[in-house]
Amino acid sequence: MSPPAVPRVGVLVSGSGTNLQALLDDGVPVALVLSDRPGVAALERAAAAGVPTEVVDRAGHLPDRRQVFTEAVVDVLRRHEIDLVAMAGFMTILAKPMFDAFEGRVVNTHPSLLPAFRGAHAVEEALEAGVKVTGCTIHVATADVDHGPILAQEAVPVEEGDTVESLHERIKAVEHRLYPQVVRRLMREIEEGAR
Ligand code: GRF
């Protein structure tokens, strides 16, 4: 029997792309980087690594045409024969067709210890709440934003005098170590037919 093909990983980005970089630096075979907007640093990182890029521009779609936007994203991922989708700072909420097309195969990293501080302002809200410990969560993404099954978590202490930036930097440092490990675990599960 021939060994199963290595799963093709697609990474969804919107911004600086440091988590994408961590995946690339770890040697995760990223087959596609898809951005929801042009001109972001993450696209430059992909290009520098020789990874194909696509932009499905959210401008003109959001907020009214989320379904159409999502279908366009799914089409691109299918065209590139993607098996596993890693969201890495992707800032557009995708509609149900995404999670039907890639059920159990969309993974996200979020900068808080879920279920605390869901949403786009997790670091800021953790600081405002005065918690002493926050962290990051890597979870299966579902249509219910920041609610999917948790795959990995790690705590990050809040330090005296932390700003949103300083705290987020320390959380990201943990994400950069943890995310490649989890993505590789999911790749293995797909190869073994377990996901
Ligand atoms: C990360 O902290 C991630 O958890 C959140 O957005 C940030 C993305 O950073 N969803 P980057 O674009 O990977 O640098």
Side-chain angles (χ1 to χ4, degrees):
M1 218 168 83
S2 58
V6 174
R8 289 173 61 80
V9 179
V11 181
L12 305 188
V13 298
S14 301
S16 63
T18 63
N19 279 285
L20 164 67
Q21 192 67 54
L23 294 170
L24 293 169
D25 292 348
D26 194 74
V28 170
V30 178
L32 170 71
V33 171
L34 186 157
S35 175
D36 64 355
R37 64 202 74 190
V40 294
L43 287 169
E44 286 165 29
R45 292 178 190 273
V51 175
T53 59
E54 298 261 10
V55 175
V56 181
D57 199 342
R58 58 178 262 143
H61 283 300
L62 274 296
D64 300 329
R65 301 168 73 233
R66 195 174 300 279
Q67 189 86 5
V68 176
F69 174 81
T70 299
E71 282 160 7
V73 169
V74 169
D75 281 351
V76 170
L77 294 170
R78 286 223 167 102
R79 182 151 48 76
H80 287 264
E81 300 180 327
I82 296 304
D83 300 298
L84 175 64
V85 181
M87 300 171 88
F90 191 65
M91 295 306 288
T92 302
I93 293 172
L94 293 166
K96 193 168 173 291
M98 176 70 188
F99 306 99
D100 291 342
F102 293 94
E103 200 184 344
R105 290 183 174 202
V106 185
V107 60
N108 182 43
T109 177
H110 181 80
S112 77
L113 291 175
L114 291 174
F117 311 118
R118 295 185 167 113
H121 307 288
V123 181
E124 203 175 326
E125 286 171 14
L127 264 187
E128 277 168 11
V131 295
K132 299 296 179 203
V133 175
T134 182
C136 69
T137 302
I138 296 164
H139 65 102
V140 176
T142 61
D144 203 0
V145 178
D146 296 335
H147 276 76
I150 292 171
L151 299 167
Q153 281 186 313
E154 201 169 303
V156 174
V158 179
E159 288 173 6
E160 202 63 39
D162 253 338
T163 61
V164 173
E165 291 71 32
S166 65
L167 179 55
H168 201 171
E169 275 315 303
R170 289 205 314 288
I171 294 171
K172 279 189 177 191
V174 176
E175 291 183 290
H176 297 163
R177 173 167 44 76
L178 216 52
Y179 207 22
Q181 291 173 16
V182 176
V183 167
R184 283 185 183 283
R185 177 172 127 204
L186 297 182
M187 289 176 66
R188 264 197 314 276
E189 289 178 12
I190 290 172
E191 274 179 278
E192 289 163 0
R195 180 172 291 272

